[in-house]
Amino acid sequence: MKLSLLSGRSHPGLGAAIGERLGVEPSQCRLETFPDEELYFRSMEPLLGHDVFVVQPTSPPAPPHLLELMLMADGCRRAGAARITAVVPYFGYARQDRRVASGEAVGARLVADLLATRFDRIITLDLHKPSIEGFFAIPVEHLSSVALLAEPLKEFLSDGHVLVAPDLGAVKRVQYFADLLDAPVAYVHKERFGGDKVRVRHISGQVQGRLPVLIDDMISTGGTIVSALEALLKQGCRTPATVVASHALLVNDAAAKLTAQPIGEVIATNSIRRPDTGRLAFRSVDVSGLLSDAVKKIHTGT
Ligand code: R5P
């Protein structure tokens, strides 16, 4: 079965990097947004009997990126692809994984159901919660970037550092880093009220006099990191702080908000296209190798 790699418009650079590692040119296709904002996809190459991989993180703006991904799968299926795998290194809507208030939708489940209508399999990276994997009726390769993100930390981590979970959802993630790096940990108990308003209730662990390394799955508006860092400083943490995240969405004025904080560096993967980081000290960790290895393993059945 021939391997074909297609890339949507959310992160063509990552699609090209994966293709280069696999020794495969991304297939030619037409992707357009019509004047009325309808999206259009057409594969310009034959796909009959091919093993197709479609690279498209559903990063902001999630709705068109998600719909484009679905259109690509539909086009590939109608062109006779034998198997279609979605490569979605950032899975949008993941935070809508349960109902907090009655009447709410569970967006993560809905998106998982939608993907399963056209795709045979999904490769994804650092889901907001590992349990989201259970929402899918198709096989999921859930990859982790912990080992890759831990590498740059090894360059400077000392006895004076503490790894911090900026909310309770990040505790397990921070424990994985702590196991790899043999470093102490602390946890911030956060309360969210609204899309970008968060408040810190309490900090567990020794932080006074230490340099914090805040670790989260994603930075969206930056509110979680900023409020956790402010609370850590009040508890006597030293600066500069370091921030580590799998997915740097940096929406709205997040980059400026973080630049205004005593942060030495923000380290994140290239799971999504690099946002406008302005003057923020930002280091990108490449996950194209991790993703291309997963593609290779699925393609060869190893
Ligand atoms: C929340 O559960 C997530 O793990 C992140 O902490 C959160 O989504 C980050 O969003 P923001 O940067 O807007 O606070």
Side-chain angles (χ1 to χ4, degrees):
M1 208 176 6
K2 191 175 169 208
L3 189 156
S4 285
L5 185 75
L6 277 79
S7 189
R9 287 179 293 176
S10 71
H11 198 354
L14 183 63
I18 294 172
E20 199 169 313
R21 286 178 180 271
L22 293 168
V24 173
E25 270 294 306
S27 297
Q28 292 297 315
C29 54
R30 255 179 72 193
L31 286 162
E32 283 178 44
T33 304
F34 290 155
D36 61 0
E37 297 200 8
E38 283 186 2
L39 303 175
Y40 173 85
F41 166 76
R42 180 183 172 201
S43 169
M44 303 304 285
E45 293 184 23
L47 295 172
L48 186 65
H50 289 200
D51 192 12
V52 174
F53 293 83
V54 182
V55 181
Q56 175 92 321
T58 48
S59 47
H65 287 158
L66 175 62
L67 190 59
E68 186 167 273
L69 177 63
M70 294 308 300
L71 287 170
M72 292 176 82
D74 191 68
C76 294
R77 194 158 287 287
R78 289 173 196 278
R83 183 172 63 177
I84 314 173
T85 301
V87 183
V88 186
Y90 170 71
F91 180 72
Y93 286 92
R95 286 179 292 178
Q96 296 185 35
D97 61 336
R98 66 192 193 290
R99 293 196 311 160
V100 177
S102 64
E104 284 183 338
V106 181
R109 173 63 202 254
L110 175 68
V111 174
D113 283 348
L114 200 58
L115 289 171
T117 62
R118 292 293 186 281
F119 286 96
D120 298 297
R121 189 181 271 272
I122 176 168
I123 298 172
T124 190
L125 177 77
D126 294 341
L127 285 167
H128 175 57
K129 280 194 195 138
S131 55
I132 292 172
E133 194 179 320
F135 290 176
F136 286 90
I138 51 175
V140 179
E141 303 302 322
H142 184 197
L143 308 174
S144 165
S145 69
V146 170
L148 290 173
L149 286 169
E151 277 308 308
L153 297 180
K154 288 180 188 164
E155 289 169 17
F156 61 84
L157 217 64
S158 70
D159 288 349
H161 282 88
V162 58
L163 307 184
V164 182
D167 65 18
L168 293 182
V171 168
K172 228 80 247 92
R173 196 174 306 273
V174 170
Q175 279 167 355
Y176 291 139
F177 278 88
D179 290 345
L180 272 177
L181 299 165
D182 194 21
V185 294
Y187 310 118
V188 174
H189 300 249
K190 157 188 112 172
E191 197 176 39
R192 183 181 282 278
F193 47 103
D196 61 351
K197 294 189 187 63
V198 286
R199 182 169 51 208
V200 169
R201 293 176 71 90
H202 174 68
I203 295 175
S204 314
Q206 272 302 323
V207 295
Q208 195 175 12
R210 290 182 178 271
L211 292 157
V213 180
L214 294 109
I215 301 172
D216 209 347
D217 62 324
M218 71 173 89
I219 309 170
S220 181
T221 65
T224 301
I225 294 295
V226 170
S227 58
L229 183 53
E230 284 171 352
L232 288 164
L233 296 177
K234 274 191 204 144
Q235 295 272 317
C237 252
R238 287 194 292 135
T239 58
T242 305
V243 177
V244 179
S246 304
H247 315 291
L249 276 60
L250 301 184
V251 300
N252 301 338
D253 60 346
K257 259 200 260 181
L258 296 174
T259 305
Q261 295 293 323
I263 292 172
E265 196 175 24
V266 173
I267 303 169
T269 78
N270 60 345
S271 62
I272 64 171
R273 195 201 287 240
R274 184 178 172 135
D276 182 6
T277 47
R279 290 185 297 107
L280 187 66
F282 185 87
R283 190 185 322 198
S284 177
V285 171
D286 184 20
V287 288
S288 64
L290 195 62
L291 295 165
S292 60
D293 281 351
V295 169
K296 212 181 300 172
K297 282 180 186 158
I298 289 174
H299 179 61
T300 56
T302 51

